[in-house]
Amino acid sequence: MRQAEFDGRGSRIRWTQSEGEGPALVYVHGLGSMSAVYHAHLAGHPALVGRRQLFVDLPGHGISDRPADFGYTLEDHAGALAAALDAAGVTGAELVAHSMGGAVAIVLADRRPDLVTRLVLTEANLDPNPVPTAGSSGIASYAEEEFVHGGGFPAVLGRIGPLWAATMRLADPLGLHRTAIGLARGTEPTMRELLMKLPLDRTYLVGGLDDCLPGRAELVGSGVRVVTIPDAGHNIMFDNPAAFVREVAGQAAV
């Protein structure tokens, strides 16, 4: 386990990693998740073995610290992720980022182009104000006090199902709520607008079981490679790991 201070007050972001060659693969999890849980099962795949791979937990999640005086906006998370990569000596990384983590990765790529050469975004949030059925919307619908101390957090855990709850129950309720609020607020320009103007290799993965990506033509027109993964929902890395690895590896034979 590695760590780096991210807020100037001693709070630490943490990650695990496997050593290897070539541009580092940096995995970034979604809201209420953990990078190792969602991605470490792929690290030993023949198409990825031998690569340096980092599994980073954002503040408030997993093994990272959860300071009560941190904002947990997308920009805050991107700053913490940058601190981890700087401490790890990573430049020119390939970010593999899921859902909310994809939004963070986009902000990081915009702010610190020295750290990122490629984005592989898995069902990433691109727009503010997610649909009411989105998990982040359910969390953000609560006031902070109600979610953290008034029963909102256990109520959400009871609704989301055992798979997501397994990692969300390890997240800090305050950090989780503020992150959901920050995700709903989005960025200015929006994550979509930032993504479309980034001058780097960009792939966006969509689960084929519910392929309703808005603005697909606009993304493709800006140079984003949009790929629909068959037999997969939001968690593509679980539902179709072979296709997921193929895209992470840059379409290498698997």
Side-chain angles (χ1 to χ4, degrees):
M1 186 191 304
R2 311 295 176 88
Q3 60 183 6
E5 184 177 345
F6 65 85
D7 63 353
R9 294 182 291 276
S11 303
R12 288 170 171 80
I13 184 171
R14 297 186 177 88
W15 66 96
T16 56
Q17 67 180 45
S18 62
E19 300 300 335
E21 303 299 326
L25 287 168
V26 178
Y27 298 92
V28 189
H29 60 81
L31 182 69
S33 301
M34 297 174 62
S35 284
V37 172
Y38 274 71
H39 295 110
H41 63 292
L42 308 169
H45 192 284
L48 300 178
V49 71
R51 295 284 301 273
R52 186 182 185 191
Q53 301 183 65
L54 286 73
F55 306 89
V56 184
D57 285 346
L58 296 171
H61 293 73
I63 57 176
S64 290
D65 285 349
R66 44 202 68 196
D69 54 356
F70 191 63
Y72 297 95
T73 65
L74 295 175
E75 294 85 356
D76 289 334
H77 282 300
L81 181 55
L85 299 188
D86 284 338
V90 169
T91 58
E94 300 181 6
L95 267 57
V96 182
H98 180 224
S99 198
M100 177 274 294
V104 173
I106 291 168
V107 174
L108 177 64
D110 178 66
R111 290 186 159 200
R112 290 287 307 274
D114 58 309
L115 296 179
V116 186
T117 59
R118 179 175 177 242
L119 292 175
V120 180
L121 305 173
T122 310
E123 295 253 322
N125 294 78
L126 299 180
D127 304 302
N129 302 312
V131 296
T133 55
S136 57
S137 297
I139 296 170
S141 67
Y142 290 90
E144 183 176 293
E145 179 66 20
E146 182 185 11
F147 184 80
V148 177
H149 300 294
F153 184 43
V156 167
L157 289 177
R159 289 198 301 268
I160 61 175
L163 184 66
W164 195 9
T167 56
M168 187 181 290
R169 67 187 179 186
L170 303 178
D172 174 60
L174 178 63
L176 181 66
H177 184 267
R178 289 183 181 174
T179 299
I181 293 292
L183 183 61
R185 182 184 304 119
T187 58
E188 181 57 46
T190 67
M191 297 85 80
R192 180 183 297 272
E193 292 167 334
L194 292 175
L195 175 62
M196 289 194 298
K197 73 178 182 65
L198 285 173
L200 47 74
D201 187 349
R202 298 152 294 162
T203 295
Y204 190 101
L205 305 181
V206 185
L209 296 179
D210 187 21
D211 184 359
C212 57
L213 176 65
R216 179 190 296 258
E218 187 178 23
L219 289 172
V220 172
S222 71
V224 178
R225 181 171 170 269
V226 178
V227 180
T228 298
I229 303 298
D231 305 315
H234 187 60
N235 296 325
I236 294 173
M237 70 292 294
F238 293 150
D239 298 336
N240 193 338
F244 183 78
V245 167
R246 185 160 53 245
E247 296 302 331
V248 172
Q251 299 183 295
V254 297

